[in-house]
């Protein structure tokens, strides 16, 4: 079991498969100049599967989310999914993607055992997409979402970040569009994880702003804390249901007290929080021949020291020294 001193138990493992991405979203990465991890620093496919096996069989992990960077850039992704699906007990598996490669991989991922996907899409306007991501790939994301839905990777969840002066007027349109296609939309407050450290709290679109905008067109009824559980998104029934919309308010409505996540970076570091500045090295233990029991002990010790909260409401908060692409969202 992965338990901390506050009694929280981590059952959800986020696994970053690569620090690389084929977009350059303004709220995540600079347009150029990032230094990528060396191939020798990255965990191998076998190392990733071994660590997930330890987490599932020895540490109580029940859900595995593959992230990046962009996880579809990992050459061995389908094989990793297939091998994790064969574990006993079998964890639930999902993937967070920018959607660009899903058109060609969704069917194979579904056949390998992936349960569902989260896809980032911040705008319905191709020109705004190009401005936000610095790439002209909007239609590829739309096609990827369609392919994921057809492959049964459901519920397909769409993650959207609203930015001032770019797409902050699109919340109602995005929700209407998602409902028409059977996707579950979740808005995410912009978080201080940009490599260029350009985030400013006083300029972000807050959860309150998003809900106010949505209510100009829809009636929203909160699902409540019991339905939410440890999920990061607060959810509302739209016009009486059955459709829902979620808001992940990491900055203005932090949910640290219910956190059930542990994170593994692409280079084999345990992070107890997305905003942590400390990491615990599992790669060295793997490569030095440590048995599973020793790796599990190191992991438990790392989680025992997890802090009470992310500290985003603390004026002295210091951003993590690695961008989101290297940590895994």
């Amino acid at each position: 079991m992965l338990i901390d001193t506050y009694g929280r138990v981590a059952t959800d493992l986020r696994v970053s498969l690569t620090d690389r991405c084929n977009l350059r979203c303004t709220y995540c990465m600079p347009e150029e100049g990032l230094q990528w991890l060396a191939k020798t620093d990255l965990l191998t496919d076998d190392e990733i599967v071994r660590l997930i096996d330890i987490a599932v069989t020895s540490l109580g992990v029940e859900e595995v989310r593959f992230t990046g960077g962009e996880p579809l850039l990992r050459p061995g992704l389908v094989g990793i999914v297939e091998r994790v699906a064969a574990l006993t007990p079998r964890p639930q598996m999902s993937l967070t993607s920018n959607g660009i490669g899903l058109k060609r991989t969704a069917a194979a991922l579904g056949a390998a055992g992936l349960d569902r996907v989260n896809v980032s899409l911040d705008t319905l306007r191709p020109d705004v997409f190009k401005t936000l991501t610095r790439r002209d790939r909007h239609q590829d994301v739309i096609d990827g979402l369609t392919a994921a839905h057809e492959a049964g990777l459901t519920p397909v969840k769409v993650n959207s970040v609203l930015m001032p002066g770019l797409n902050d007027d699109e919340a109602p349109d995005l929700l209407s569009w998602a409902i028409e296609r059977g996707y579950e939309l979740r808005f995410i407050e912009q978080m201080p994880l940009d490599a260029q450290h350009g985030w400013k709290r006083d300029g972000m679109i807050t959860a309150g702003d998003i809900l106010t905008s949505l209510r100009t067109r829809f009636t929203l009824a909160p699902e409540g804390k019991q339905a939410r559980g440890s999920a990061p998104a607060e959810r509302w029934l739209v016009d009486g249901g059955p459709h829902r919309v979620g808001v992940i308010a990491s900055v203005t409505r932090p949910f640290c007290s219910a956190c059930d996540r542990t994170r593994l970076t692409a280079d084999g570091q345990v992070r107890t929080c997305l905003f942590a500045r400390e990491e615990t090295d599992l790669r060295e233990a793997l490569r030095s021949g440590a048995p599973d029991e020793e790796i599990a002990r190191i992991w438990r010790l790392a989680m025992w020291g997890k802090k009470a909260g992310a500290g985003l409401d603390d004026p002295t908060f210091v951003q993590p020294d690695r961008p989101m692409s290297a940590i895994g969202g």
Side-chain angles (χ1 to χ4, degrees):
M1 180 182 293
L2 291 170
I3 189 170
D4 65 31
T5 55
Y6 299 92
R8 297 169 296 192
V9 178
T11 58
D12 183 334
L13 171 61
R14 307 295 170 97
V15 182
S16 176
L17 297 180
T18 177
D19 60 331
R20 296 175 183 265
C21 187
N22 41 11
L23 296 180
R24 294 292 182 272
C25 297
T26 57
Y27 52 79
C28 180
M29 301 169 69
E31 187 168 7
E32 55 186 22
L34 267 184
Q35 185 173 351
W36 305 114
L37 292 169
K39 186 175 182 179
T40 54
D41 291 337
L42 294 171
L43 294 176
T44 66
D45 293 0
D46 288 344
E47 288 170 338
I48 289 170
V49 173
R50 183 183 172 196
L51 288 175
I52 294 174
D53 189 358
I54 292 169
V56 169
T57 61
S58 301
L59 298 173
V61 164
E62 300 171 354
E63 299 180 42
V64 175
R65 172 84 61 84
F66 296 109
T67 70
E70 173 46 53
L72 295 181
L73 296 179
R74 178 86 186 199
L77 173 60
V78 173
I80 291 171
V81 170
E82 191 170 37
R83 292 168 67 183
V84 173
L87 296 178
T88 303
R90 180 201 186 281
Q92 288 289 304
M93 284 186 293
S94 58
L95 178 141
T96 295
S97 170
N98 62 31
I100 288 175
L102 274 175
K103 183 177 180 179
R104 67 175 185 277
T105 57
L109 287 168
L114 190 69
D115 294 301
R116 64 172 189 82
V117 296
N118 288 26
V119 177
S120 299
L121 181 65
D122 303 321
T123 178
L124 300 177
R125 304 192 293 251
D127 59 325
V128 176
F129 181 92
K130 187 174 181 180
T131 298
L132 279 168
T133 68
R134 305 184 179 105
R135 298 290 187 271
D136 190 10
R137 306 296 297 273
H138 188 262
Q139 189 59 49
D140 292 325
V141 181
I142 302 298
D143 293 343
L145 281 161
T146 301
H149 193 269
E150 291 175 348
L153 300 176
T154 56
V156 173
K157 295 184 179 181
V158 176
N159 295 337
S160 297
V161 176
L162 299 182
M163 300 288 288
L166 287 173
N167 61 339
D168 52 345
D169 60 335
E170 286 197 69
D173 290 340
L174 281 162
L175 181 53
S176 178
W177 177 86
I179 287 173
E180 288 175 5
R181 288 156 180 79
Y183 305 148
E184 184 175 322
L185 180 63
R186 306 190 312 172
F187 292 99
I188 303 176
E189 286 183 339
Q190 183 197 2
M191 294 181 285
L193 289 168
D194 56 315
Q196 60 271 37
H197 289 189
W199 178 84
K200 291 182 175 60
R201 182 175 181 138
D202 58 3
M204 61 176 285
I205 306 300
T206 67
D209 297 331
I210 294 164
L211 293 171
T212 296
S213 179
L214 291 175
R215 286 182 171 124
T216 63
R217 196 181 304 177
F218 303 97
T219 300
L220 304 180
E223 276 197 322
K225 292 183 179 180
Q226 186 172 357
R228 180 183 183 181
S230 61
E234 292 183 77
R235 298 199 304 181
W236 284 261
L237 291 173
V238 180
D239 292 340
H243 300 291
R244 295 171 174 82
V245 63
V247 179
I248 299 177
S250 300
V251 178
T252 63
R253 304 181 187 181
F255 41 86
C256 300
S257 62
C259 181
D260 66 348
R261 283 167 291 287
T262 181
R263 299 176 182 275
L264 184 65
T265 68
D267 55 348
Q269 311 299 306
V270 169
R271 294 181 70 94
T272 59
C273 174
L274 188 62
F275 301 100
R277 292 184 64 84
E278 304 83 20
E279 298 178 335
T280 300
D281 190 357
L282 294 185
R283 184 187 63 199
E284 178 60 28
L286 279 173
R287 295 182 180 178
S288 64
D292 289 358
E293 294 78 10
E294 174 62 11
I295 293 170
R297 185 194 69 80
I298 296 170
W299 206 330
R300 287 192 193 97
L301 187 62
M303 292 305 295
W304 184 249
K306 183 173 182 173
K307 294 181 179 179
L312 297 181
D313 55 351
D314 185 338
T316 64
F317 169 76
V318 179
Q319 293 192 37
D321 53 3
R322 294 220 268 175
M324 189 185 299
S325 62
I327 298 169

